[in-house]
Coordinates of all heavy atoms in Angstrom, one line a residue:
M287 N -51.4 28.3 95.5 CA -51.1 27.6 94.4 C -51.8 28.1 93.1 O -51.2 28.2 92.0 CB -51.5 26.1 94.6 CG -51.0 25.1 93.6 SD -49.2 25.1 93.6 CE -48.9 23.9 92.4
K288 N -53.1 28.3 93.3 CA -53.9 28.9 92.1 C -53.4 30.3 91.8 O -53.4 30.6 90.6 CB -55.4 29.1 92.6 CG -56.1 27.7 92.7 CD -57.6 27.8 93.0 CE -58.2 26.5 93.1 NZ -59.7 26.6 93.4
T289 N -52.8 31.0 92.7 CA -52.4 32.4 92.4 C -51.1 32.2 91.5 O -51.0 33.0 90.5 CB -52.0 33.2 93.7 OG1 -53.2 33.2 94.6 CG2 -51.6 34.6 93.4
K290 N -50.3 31.3 91.8 CA -49.1 31.1 91.0 C -49.4 30.7 89.6 O -48.8 31.2 88.6 CB -48.2 30.1 91.6 CG -47.5 30.5 92.9 CD -46.5 29.5 93.4 CE -45.9 30.0 94.7 NZ -45.0 29.0 95.3
L291 N -50.4 29.8 89.5 CA -50.8 29.3 88.2 C -51.4 30.5 87.3 O -51.2 30.7 86.2 CB -51.9 28.2 88.3 CG -52.3 27.5 87.0 CD1 -51.2 26.9 86.2 CD2 -53.4 26.5 87.3
A292 N -52.2 31.3 88.0 CA -52.8 32.4 87.3 C -51.8 33.4 86.9 O -51.8 33.9 85.8 CB -53.9 33.1 88.2
Y293 N -50.9 33.7 87.7 CA -49.7 34.6 87.4 C -48.9 34.1 86.2 O -48.6 34.9 85.3 CB -48.8 34.7 88.6 CG -47.6 35.7 88.3 CD1 -47.8 37.1 88.3 CD2 -46.4 35.3 88.1 CE1 -46.8 37.9 88.0 CE2 -45.4 36.1 87.9 CZ -45.6 37.5 87.7 OH -44.5 38.3 87.4
K294 N -48.7 32.7 86.2 CA -47.9 32.2 85.1 C -48.7 32.3 83.8 O -48.1 32.7 82.8 CB -47.7 30.7 85.4 CG -46.7 30.0 84.5 CD -46.3 28.6 85.0 CE -45.2 28.0 84.2 NZ -45.0 26.7 84.6
K295 N -50.0 32.0 83.8 CA -50.8 32.2 82.6 C -50.9 33.6 82.2 O -50.8 34.0 80.9 CB -52.2 31.7 82.8 CG -52.4 30.2 82.9 CD -53.8 29.8 83.1 CE -53.9 28.3 83.1 NZ -55.2 27.8 83.1
I296 N -51.0 34.6 83.1 CA -51.0 36.0 82.7 C -49.7 36.4 82.1 O -49.7 37.1 81.1 CB -51.4 36.9 84.0 CG1 -52.8 36.7 84.3 CG2 -51.2 38.3 83.7 CD1 -53.3 37.3 85.6
S297 N -48.6 35.9 82.7 CA -47.3 36.3 82.1 C -47.2 35.8 80.7 O -46.7 36.5 79.8 CB -46.2 35.7 83.0 OG -46.2 36.3 84.2
G298 N -47.6 34.6 80.4 CA -47.7 34.0 79.1 C -48.5 34.8 78.1 O -48.0 35.2 76.9
I299 N -49.6 35.3 78.6 CA -50.5 36.1 77.7 C -49.7 37.4 77.4 O -49.8 38.0 76.2 CB -51.9 36.4 78.3 CG1 -52.6 35.0 78.5 CG2 -52.7 37.4 77.6 CD1 -53.9 35.1 79.3
E300 N -49.2 38.0 78.5 CA -48.4 39.3 78.2 C -47.3 39.2 77.2 O -47.2 40.0 76.3 CB -47.9 39.8 79.5 CG -49.0 40.3 80.5 CD -48.3 40.8 81.8 OE1 -47.3 40.3 82.2 OE2 -49.0 41.7 82.5
Q301 N -46.6 38.1 77.2 CA -45.6 37.8 76.3 C -46.1 37.7 74.8 O -45.5 38.2 74.0 CB -44.8 36.5 76.7 CG -43.6 36.3 75.9 CD -42.6 37.4 75.9 OE1 -42.4 38.0 77.0 NE2 -41.9 37.6 74.9
E302 N -47.3 37.0 74.8 CA -47.9 36.8 73.4 C -48.3 38.2 72.8 O -48.2 38.4 71.7 CB -49.1 35.8 73.6 CG -48.7 34.4 73.7 CD -49.9 33.6 73.7 OE1 -50.9 33.7 73.0 OE2 -50.0 32.6 74.6
I303 N -48.9 39.1 73.8 CA -49.3 40.4 73.3 C -48.1 41.1 72.8 O -48.1 41.8 71.8 CB -50.1 41.0 74.4 CG1 -51.4 40.4 74.7 CG2 -50.3 42.6 74.2 CD1 -52.1 40.9 75.9
R304 N -47.0 41.1 73.6 CA -45.7 41.9 73.2 C -45.3 41.3 71.8 O -45.0 42.1 70.9 CB -44.6 41.6 74.2 CG -44.8 42.5 75.4 CD -43.5 42.5 76.2 NE -43.8 42.6 77.6 CZ -44.1 41.7 78.5 NH1 -43.6 40.5 78.2 NH2 -44.4 41.9 79.8
S305 N -45.3 40.0 71.6 CA -44.9 39.4 70.4 C -45.8 39.9 69.2 O -45.3 40.3 68.1 CB -45.0 37.9 70.4 OG -44.1 37.4 71.3
L306 N -47.0 39.9 69.4 CA -48.1 40.4 68.4 C -47.8 41.9 68.2 O -47.9 42.3 66.9 CB -49.5 40.2 68.8 CG -50.0 38.7 68.9 CD1 -51.3 38.6 69.5 CD2 -50.0 38.2 67.4
K307 N -47.6 42.7 69.1 CA -47.3 44.1 68.9 C -46.1 44.3 68.0 O -46.1 45.1 67.1 CB -47.1 44.9 70.3 CG -48.4 45.2 70.9 CD -48.1 45.9 72.2 CE -49.3 46.3 73.0 NZ -49.1 47.1 74.2
K308 N -45.1 43.5 68.3 CA -43.8 43.6 67.6 C -44.1 43.3 66.1 O -43.6 43.8 65.1 CB -42.8 42.8 68.1 CG -42.1 43.3 69.4 CD -41.0 42.3 69.8 CE -40.3 42.8 71.1 NZ -39.3 41.9 71.6
L309 N -44.9 42.2 65.9 CA -45.2 41.7 64.6 C -46.0 42.8 63.8 O -45.6 43.1 62.6 CB -46.1 40.5 64.7 CG -46.6 39.9 63.3 CD1 -45.4 39.3 62.5 CD2 -47.5 38.9 63.6
F310 N -47.0 43.4 64.4 CA -47.8 44.3 63.7 C -47.0 45.7 63.4 O -47.2 46.4 62.5 CB -49.1 44.7 64.4 CG -50.1 43.5 64.2 CD1 -50.4 42.6 65.2 CD2 -50.6 43.1 62.9 CE1 -51.4 41.5 65.1 CE2 -51.6 42.2 62.7 CZ -51.8 41.3 63.8
L311 N -46.2 46.1 64.4 CA -45.4 47.3 64.3 C -44.3 47.2 63.2 O -44.0 48.2 62.6 CB -44.8 47.8 65.6 CG -46.0 48.2 66.6 CD1 -45.3 48.5 68.0 CD2 -46.7 49.4 66.2
S312 N -43.9 46.0 63.0 CA -42.8 45.8 62.1 C -43.2 45.6 60.7 O -42.4 45.6 59.7 CB -41.9 44.6 62.5 OG -42.6 43.4 62.3
R313 N -44.5 45.5 60.4 CA -45.1 45.3 59.1 C -44.6 46.4 58.3 O -44.8 47.6 58.6 CB -46.5 45.2 59.1 CG -47.0 43.8 59.8 CD -48.5 43.8 59.9 NE -49.0 43.3 58.5 CZ -50.3 43.4 58.2 NH1 -51.2 43.7 59.1 NH2 -50.7 43.0 57.1
K314 N -44.3 46.1 57.0 CA -44.0 47.2 56.0 C -45.1 47.5 55.2 O -46.2 46.8 55.2 CB -42.8 46.7 55.3 CG -41.6 46.5 56.0 CD -40.4 46.0 55.2 CE -39.2 45.8 56.1 NZ -38.0 45.3 55.5
K315 N -45.0 48.6 54.5 CA -46.1 49.0 53.6 C -46.4 47.9 52.5 O -45.4 47.2 52.2 CB -45.8 50.3 52.9 CG -45.9 51.5 53.9 CD -45.6 52.8 53.1 CE -45.7 53.9 54.1 NZ -45.7 55.2 53.4
V316 N -47.5 47.9 51.9 CA -47.9 47.0 50.9 C -47.2 47.5 49.6 O -47.2 48.6 49.4 CB -49.4 46.9 50.7 CG1 -49.7 46.0 49.5 CG2 -50.1 46.4 51.9
V317 N -46.4 46.5 49.0 CA -45.7 46.8 47.7 C -46.6 46.5 46.6 O -47.2 45.3 46.5 CB -44.4 46.0 47.8 CG1 -43.7 46.3 46.5 CG2 -43.6 46.3 49.0
S318 N -46.7 47.4 45.6 CA -47.5 47.1 44.5 C -46.7 46.2 43.5 O -45.4 46.4 43.4 CB -47.7 48.4 43.7 OG -48.4 48.1 42.5
L319 N -47.4 45.3 42.9 CA -46.8 44.4 41.9 C -46.9 44.9 40.6 O -46.6 44.3 39.6 CB -47.3 43.0 42.0 CG -47.1 42.3 43.4 CD1 -47.8 41.0 43.3 CD2 -45.6 42.1 43.7
R320 N -47.4 46.1 40.4 CA -47.6 46.7 39.1 C -46.3 46.8 38.4 O -45.3 47.3 39.0 CB -48.3 48.1 39.2 CG -48.4 48.8 37.9 CD -49.1 50.1 38.1 NE -50.5 49.8 37.8 CZ -51.4 50.7 38.1 NH1 -51.2 51.8 38.7 NH2 -52.8 50.4 37.9
G321 N -46.2 46.3 37.2 CA -45.0 46.4 36.4 C -44.0 45.2 36.7 O -43.0 45.1 35.9
M322 N -44.3 44.3 37.5 CA -43.5 43.2 37.8 C -43.5 42.2 36.7 O -42.5 41.5 36.4 CB -43.8 42.4 39.1 CG -43.6 43.2 40.4 SD -41.9 43.3 40.7 CE -41.6 41.6 41.3
L323 N -44.5 42.1 35.9 CA -44.8 41.3 34.9 C -44.6 41.9 33.4 O -45.2 41.5 32.5 CB -46.1 40.5 35.0 CG -46.2 39.6 36.2 CD1 -47.7 39.1 36.3 CD2 -45.3 38.6 36.3
K324 N -44.0 43.1 33.5 CA -43.9 43.8 32.2 C -43.3 43.0 31.2 O -42.2 42.4 31.4 CB -43.0 45.1 32.5 CG -43.1 46.2 31.4 CD -42.4 47.3 31.8 CE -43.3 48.4 32.2 NZ -42.7 49.7 32.5
G325 N -43.8 43.0 30.0 CA -43.3 42.3 28.8 C -43.7 40.8 28.7 O -43.3 40.2 27.8
I326 N -44.4 40.4 29.7 CA -45.0 39.0 29.7 C -46.4 38.9 29.1 O -47.1 39.7 29.6 CB -44.8 38.3 31.1 CG1 -43.4 38.3 31.6 CG2 -45.5 37.0 31.1 CD1 -43.3 37.7 33.1
S327 N -46.5 38.0 28.2 CA -47.9 37.9 27.7 C -48.6 36.7 28.3 O -47.9 35.6 28.4 CB -47.9 37.9 26.3 OG -47.2 36.8 25.7
I328 N -49.8 36.8 28.7 CA -50.6 35.7 29.3 C -51.8 35.5 28.2 O -52.6 36.4 28.0 CB -51.1 36.0 30.6 CG1 -49.8 36.3 31.6 CG2 -52.0 34.8 31.2 CD1 -50.2 36.9 32.9
T329 N -51.9 34.2 27.9 CA -53.0 33.8 26.9 C -54.2 33.6 27.7 O -54.3 33.3 28.8 CB -52.5 32.7 26.1 OG1 -52.4 31.5 26.9 CG2 -51.3 32.9 25.3
E330 N -55.4 33.6 26.9 CA -56.7 33.2 27.5 C -56.7 31.8 28.1 O -57.3 31.4 29.0 CB -57.8 33.4 26.4 CG -58.2 34.9 26.3 CD -58.7 35.6 27.5 OE1 -59.5 34.9 28.2 OE2 -58.3 36.7 27.6
D331 N -56.0 30.8 27.3 CA -55.9 29.5 27.7 C -55.2 29.4 29.1 O -55.6 28.6 29.9 CB -55.2 28.6 26.7 CG -55.9 28.5 25.5 OD1 -57.2 28.6 25.5 OD2 -55.3 28.2 24.3
E332 N -54.2 30.2 29.3 CA -53.4 30.1 30.5 C -54.3 30.6 31.7 O -54.4 30.1 32.8 CB -52.1 31.0 30.4 CG -51.0 30.3 29.6 CD -49.9 31.3 29.4 OE1 -50.1 32.5 29.3 OE2 -48.8 30.7 29.2
I333 N -55.1 31.6 31.4 CA -56.0 32.2 32.4 C -57.1 31.1 32.8 O -57.4 30.9 34.0 CB -56.7 33.4 31.9 CG1 -55.6 34.5 31.8 CG2 -57.9 33.9 32.8 CD1 -56.1 35.8 31.1
E334 N -57.6 30.5 31.7 CA -58.7 29.5 32.0 C -58.0 28.2 32.8 O -58.7 27.7 33.7 CB -59.2 29.0 30.7 CG -60.1 30.0 30.0 CD -61.3 30.4 30.9 OE1 -61.9 29.7 31.6 OE2 -61.4 31.7 30.9
D335 N -56.9 27.8 32.5 CA -56.2 26.8 33.2 C -56.0 27.2 34.7 O -56.2 26.3 35.6 CB -54.7 26.4 32.6 CG -54.9 25.7 31.3 OD1 -56.0 25.1 31.0 OD2 -53.9 25.7 30.5
A336 N -55.7 28.4 34.9 CA -55.5 28.8 36.3 C -56.8 28.9 37.0 O -56.8 28.5 38.2 CB -54.8 30.3 36.3
K337 N -57.8 29.3 36.3 CA -59.2 29.3 37.0 C -59.5 28.0 37.3 O -60.0 27.7 38.5 CB -60.2 29.9 36.0 CG -60.1 31.4 35.9 CD -61.2 31.9 35.0 CE -61.2 33.4 34.7 NZ -62.2 33.8 33.8
R338 N -59.3 26.9 36.4 CA -59.7 25.5 36.7 C -58.9 25.0 37.9 O -59.4 24.3 38.6 CB -59.5 24.7 35.4 CG -60.8 24.7 34.6 CD -60.6 23.8 33.4 NE -60.4 24.7 32.2 CZ -59.5 24.6 31.3 NH1 -58.6 23.7 31.3 NH2 -59.3 25.6 30.3
S339 N -57.7 25.3 37.9 CA -56.9 24.8 39.1 C -57.2 25.5 40.4 O -57.1 24.7 41.4 CB -55.3 25.0 38.8 OG -55.0 26.3 38.9
L340 N -57.7 26.7 40.4 CA -58.1 27.4 41.7 C -59.4 27.0 42.1 O -59.7 26.8 43.3 CB -57.9 28.9 41.5 CG -56.6 29.5 41.5 CD1 -56.7 30.9 41.2 CD2 -55.9 29.3 42.7
F341 N -60.4 26.9 41.1 CA -61.8 26.7 41.5 C -62.2 25.4 41.0 O -63.1 25.2 40.2 CB -62.6 27.8 40.8 CG -62.2 29.1 41.2 CD1 -61.5 30.0 40.2 CD2 -62.3 29.6 42.5 CE1 -61.1 31.3 40.6 CE2 -61.8 30.9 42.8 CZ -61.2 31.7 41.8
R342 N -61.6 24.3 41.5 CA -62.0 23.0 41.1 C -63.3 22.6 41.7 O -63.7 22.9 42.9 CB -61.0 22.0 41.6 CG -59.7 22.0 40.9 CD -58.8 20.9 41.3 NE -57.5 21.0 40.6 CZ -56.3 20.7 41.0 NH1 -56.3 20.2 42.2 NH2 -55.3 20.8 40.2
A343 N -64.2 22.1 40.9 CA -65.5 21.7 41.3 C -65.9 20.4 41.0 O -65.4 19.7 40.3 CB -66.7 22.7 40.6

């Protein structure tokens, strides 16, 4: 009985490892966002508002 339970757990772990391998192997290269905001102007006030919303203290 214990052998069957161990085999079942090992099979589950093997499946998870296969899924993780597929996930990491299918990752694409990091895409640069340089130029995505071309022509958009951001004011100092907008930057400060963003900082306040991110770093609430």
Side-chain angles (χ1 to χ4, degrees):
M287 189 67 176
K288 288 184 180 181
T289 306
K290 288 182 182 181
L291 182 61
Y293 180 75
K294 191 173 186 178
K295 285 185 178 183
I296 290 171
S297 296
I299 293 169
E300 287 175 338
Q301 186 63 31
E302 287 181 42
I303 291 172
R304 278 190 214 102
S305 296
L306 287 171
K307 282 183 178 180
K308 284 181 184 178
L309 176 70
F310 286 111
L311 292 175
S312 67
R313 292 179 75 190
K314 296 179 181 178
K315 290 184 178 182
V316 176
V317 177
S318 174
L319 296 178
R320 176 178 267 168
M322 289 290 280
L323 300 176
K324 192 178 258 185
I326 295 175
S327 62
I328 300 171
T329 65
E330 287 294 322
D331 290 336
E332 291 172 327
I333 293 172
E334 291 303 316
D335 289 341
K337 284 181 185 178
R338 274 186 250 129
S339 70
L340 286 173
F341 307 111
R342 291 185 178 149

